[in-house]
Amino acid sequence: MNIITFDSDDKLNEAAANIIIGQIQTTPRAVIGLATGGTPVGIYKQIVNDYQRGMISFRDVTTFNLDEYVNLPINHPESYRSYMNSNLFDHIDLPASQCHIPDGNAADPAEECRKYDEAIELSGQVDLQLLGLGHNGHIGFNEPAHALIKGTHVVDLAQETLEANARFFDSIDDVPKQAITMGVGTILKAKKILLVVKGADKADIIKRALHGTITTDCPASLLQTHPNLIVLLDSAAAGKLA
C-alpha cells in the first residue's frame, strides 16, 4: 500500500490524473475502471485538459464504470451516464462503443449484471481501477453487510448513502433506492487500484479502511489485501492517520 498526502486539491487531482494517463501511455489498450461522485470531478477535468493539450489519446482504451442507479432515466442529469458524459466522455476521443456503464433500466437486472461481468472478463483484467470512498466504507455501491457479493449485482442503498447523495437531487425522496454495482471481487481483480479520498468528514472511515480490521462491515477494508493499492488523500482526509 502506497499512501500519499497532498496539501491542495489541485495537486491531488493532478497526481491522480497523471497516474491514469501514465497507465494509458504505458498500455495504450488499457482497461480502466472509472468512478463517479464528487471526488473524481477535478481528476476528470485535469484529464480533459491534458487530452486537449495533446498529451493522451483514448482511442484504444476500454472503460467500465463501477455503478449506475436503478430506474433512473439514462438522460436524467444525475444518472451516472450523464455524469460521465458531461465530465469526461464528451470531451475526449474515447469511442462510445468502448465505454461501459451498467444499464439501470434493464428489463432483467440480473441478466444485465451477468452480461456486465462477462464484458469485463472478455476485455481482460482491469489495468487500473479508480475508487472513491463512502462515509460508511462502501466502494462502488458495495454497502456494509455480513457478506459481500463478488460479482456485479443489484444493491439496496443504505440510508447513510441516500443521505450523502441527496445533495445531488432536489430531496432525499428523489434519490434512487437501488443501484447496480460492480462487486468487491471484481474490483479486487484489478491489477492496480487508485483510491482517492478528500475531506475531513472521511478521516475516520479512511483510518478504519486502511488500518482497521478487515471486515465486510467496512467493504473498503478489503483493499488492504490488494498487492498494488495507491491511496491519494488530501490533508483533511489524512488527519487521523498516524
Side-chain angles (χ1 to χ4, degrees), residues 20 23-24 27-32 60-63 125 127-128:
I20 296 169
Q23 181 68 60
I24 296 168
T27 315
R29 302 183 68 84
V31 179
I32 306 294
D60 297 321
V61 172
T62 299
T63 66
Q125 192 174 8
D127 292 290
L128 173 64

Side-chain angles (χ1 to χ4, degrees), residues 66-67 131-132 134 138-142 181-182 187:
L66 286 167
D67 39 42
L131 293 178
H138 74 230
I139 48 176
F141 273 132
N142 294 280
T181 185
M182 192 184 295
I187 291 170

Side-chain angles (χ1 to χ4, degrees), residues 138-217:
H138 74 230
I139 48 176
F141 273 132
N142 294 280
E143 302 283 20
H146 293 301
L148 297 176
I149 299 173
K150 66 178 182 179
T152 302
H153 60 284
V154 177
V155 61
D156 295 327
L157 300 182
Q159 182 64 28
E160 190 171 5
T161 300
L162 297 176
E163 292 171 357
N165 288 3
R167 70 189 190 276
F168 299 117
F169 292 82
D170 291 336
S171 76
I172 192 171
D173 294 332
D174 295 323
V175 183
K177 304 300 189 291
Q178 291 184 314
I180 292 178
T181 185
M182 192 184 295
V184 171
T186 304
I187 291 170
L188 292 175
K189 286 181 181 178
K191 296 178 183 177
K192 182 185 300 180
I193 293 177
L194 174 60
L195 176 65
V196 181
V197 186
K198 303 176 181 179
D201 58 327
K202 300 286 181 71
D204 285 324
I205 194 61
I206 193 65
K207 180 180 180 180
R208 183 181 176 196
L210 299 184
H211 298 308
T213 302
I214 298 175
T215 170
T216 58
D217 288 333

Side-chain angles (χ1 to χ4, degrees), residues 10 14 33 45 55 83 92 123 149 151 173 180 190 203 208:
D10 286 344
E14 183 179 6
K45 183 177 181 180
M55 295 177 58
Y83 171 103
I92 60 176
S123 294
I149 299 173
D173 294 332
I180 292 178
R208 183 181 176 196

Side-chain angles (χ1 to χ4, degrees), residues 99-119:
C99 57
H100 303 274
I101 299 177
D103 181 2
N105 295 284
D108 185 341
E111 176 64 10
E112 170 63 15
C113 293
R114 187 197 67 77
K115 288 167 57 179
Y116 203 70
D117 281 336
E118 182 179 67

